Every structure is written in C-alpha cells, then in structure tokens.
Amino acid sequence: MVPRCLIATRSPHKLGEIRQILADLTFIELIDLQGAGVPEEPQEHEIEKFDTFEENAVAKARHFGAKSGLPTIADDSGLVVDALAGEPGVRSKRYASAQAPDPESADRLNNERLLQRLGDTPLAQRTARYVCVAALALPGGGVHTFHGTAEGLILGHARGTGGFGYDPLFYDQRAGMTFAEMTPAEKNARSHRGRAFRAVGRFLSEQRDRLLACPTRESDR
Ligand code: IMP
C-alpha cells in the first residue's frame, strides 16, 4: 500500500514538470487537486498574497493540506529581473493583467510587458533568475521548504515553443538555448523547479519509513 502525497497546483504545466522530476519516487502516489477532490474556488488566488515566494508556497501547502488531509506539496515560483529591481517576482503570474482570459494570453501579455519594461537595456544587463520554493506541509503541522534557482538572460525576442510562461525569453547561457528551446528533460535538469523538487524527492526518500507509517495509506482510508 502506497502513501499518497498531494501536488497542489492548478497549473497543468507545473504539474507535468513536477511529475516528471519526481518520477523515480515510486514508493509514493502523487495525486493532483482533482484526484484529491479539491474543487477550484474563485478566491484561491488570495492565498498567495505575500511578498516572498517562501510565504506564498507555505500558505498554499497549508491551505490545500488542510482541505485534503494529505501530505501536500505546493510551489511558488517566478522570474526575478535585476535591471527591474526584482520585477516581476512574486507577481510573475499576473504581471501584465490580473484578468487575462486564459493562461496562454496571460503568458503572452506578461512577456510583452517584460520586453516593454526592459526596453533597449543591453543584453549583458538583462540578467535574471527563476526562483522556485516548494513547501511540503505534513498532516501533523510540520512544514519543510526547498529552494531552487536558475540563472539566465532575458532576450529581446522570443525563441522556442516549449515550456510555458517566460521560457521563450529566458536564455540559459551554458546551454546556449532558451528554456522554450529545450526538451522537458533538459529544462528540468537545469530549472529552478527541477532543483527545488529534486531536494523534495531526496527529503521524501529519507523520510520513507515515516511516510509509510502515516495514516494516508490505502488500507487506512
Ligand atoms: P505561481 O503559480 O504563483 O507560482 O506563479 C508562477 C508564475 O511564474 C507563472 O505563471 C509564470 O509566469 C512564472 N514562472 C514560474 N516558473 C516558470 C517556468 O518554469 N517557466 C516560465 N515561467 C515560469
């Protein structure tokens, strides 16, 4: 019988990446919000109201952990651009508009705003990093956080069709590609989310015996 762990995100892109990053974690069943029977609520975005990725990730993990009763992992992530004093940061998702009609339009508008804000800033000064904080909330009340970053440059035009969000503009100098030009495995190997969630995976593996004893097993349901 396998213990269950909730991956609390409404983003299909994030969910796909996290599932791939944690694919070796076979002693745990990773379930999503739909699988856990947690319906979307209109005021959910108010959970992430804080000014740090860490506080937002912890708030999301606690919220969905309480709703589901399961060990719950949530991530808060975004892009930090040095020449813009850290913008868009924790506002990455709604940088251009709080009311984009769909996620694809939101990404397009966000990228346009980022390019417009950077204007003709020279490439060498367009340094940026993606940040991801993953928070694991355990049913007993404990919360653990895991951080990952990825360094890059913001190009003046989009390249590539993979990934999501700011990936077509985010250029990884070592790889010589934007994140949108990489395969999913190449992105996960270098990304902020890959780094943070591999640390989650190591922690869960170390806690394996404790998790196997916790009351989320199929036989206890
Ligand atoms: P969150 O859902 O509040 O964590 O916001 C995440 C937002 O940050 C996304 O909507 C994107 O705009 C941006 N972001 C985070 N991670 C990535 C990534 O891996 N690629 C591209 N954009 C990302």
Side-chain angles (χ1 to χ4, degrees):
M1 291 300 149
V2 180
R4 301 190 306 165
C5 187
L6 173 64
I7 304 296
T9 177
R10 300 283 179 202
S11 160
H13 290 288
K14 276 191 187 181
L15 186 64
E17 290 186 1
I18 293 165
R19 281 196 183 284
Q20 193 170 353
I21 296 161
L22 296 180
D24 291 342
L25 218 62
T26 48
F27 71 95
I28 288 179
E29 182 187 352
L30 299 175
I31 59 167
D32 59 21
L33 285 164
Q34 207 183 344
V38 182
E40 189 160 0
E41 293 173 341
Q43 68 278 19
E44 254 172 28
H45 66 273
E46 291 167 20
I47 304 164
E48 42 188 313
K49 62 184 177 196
F50 300 99
D51 289 331
T52 65
F53 294 109
E54 170 119 11
E55 287 171 293
N56 285 331
V58 169
K60 284 192 258 188
R62 283 209 167 113
H63 174 87
F64 290 111
K67 290 246 169 210
S68 65
L70 293 170
T72 296
I73 309 170
D75 110 348
D76 198 57
S77 51
L79 180 68
V80 173
V81 180
D82 295 317
L84 301 178
E87 277 182 33
V90 290
R91 318 272 170 247
S92 291
K93 192 170 167 184
R94 296 180 183 80
Y95 189 40
S97 160
Q99 294 176 346
D102 53 72
E104 289 70 33
S105 309
D107 287 349
R108 183 176 45 76
L109 294 169
N110 285 338
N111 283 321
E112 283 172 13
R113 171 139 199 239
L114 179 60
L115 289 179
Q116 175 249 317
R117 293 277 293 140
L118 279 168
D120 55 8
T121 305
L123 188 60
Q125 290 165 33
R126 297 165 81 106
T127 52
R129 69 207 48 80
Y130 273 132
V131 176
C132 173
V133 178
L136 166 66
L138 296 170
V143 180
H144 303 264
T145 57
F146 307 86
H147 297 238
T149 59
E151 300 288 331
L153 292 172
I154 304 303
L155 297 182
H157 56 274
R159 273 175 49 174
T161 54
F164 69 102
Y166 300 94
D167 285 347
L169 296 176
F170 188 84
Y171 181 74
D172 180 319
Q173 282 180 285
R174 278 201 190 166
M177 289 185 269
T178 67
F179 272 12
E181 292 175 307
M182 296 179 183
T183 63
E186 286 171 336
K187 178 182 170 185
N188 290 338
R190 295 162 174 83
S191 78
H192 51 316
R193 190 163 296 103
R195 292 175 204 276
F197 275 86
R198 278 191 291 278
V200 172
R202 286 191 291 275
F203 178 83
L204 290 173
S205 299
E206 285 160 18
Q207 300 288 315
R208 185 188 164 129
D209 292 344
R210 213 179 123 202
L211 286 162
L212 287 170
C214 105
T216 59
R217 290 177 300 173
E218 200 74 47
S219 56
D220 295 326
R221 273 185 250 146

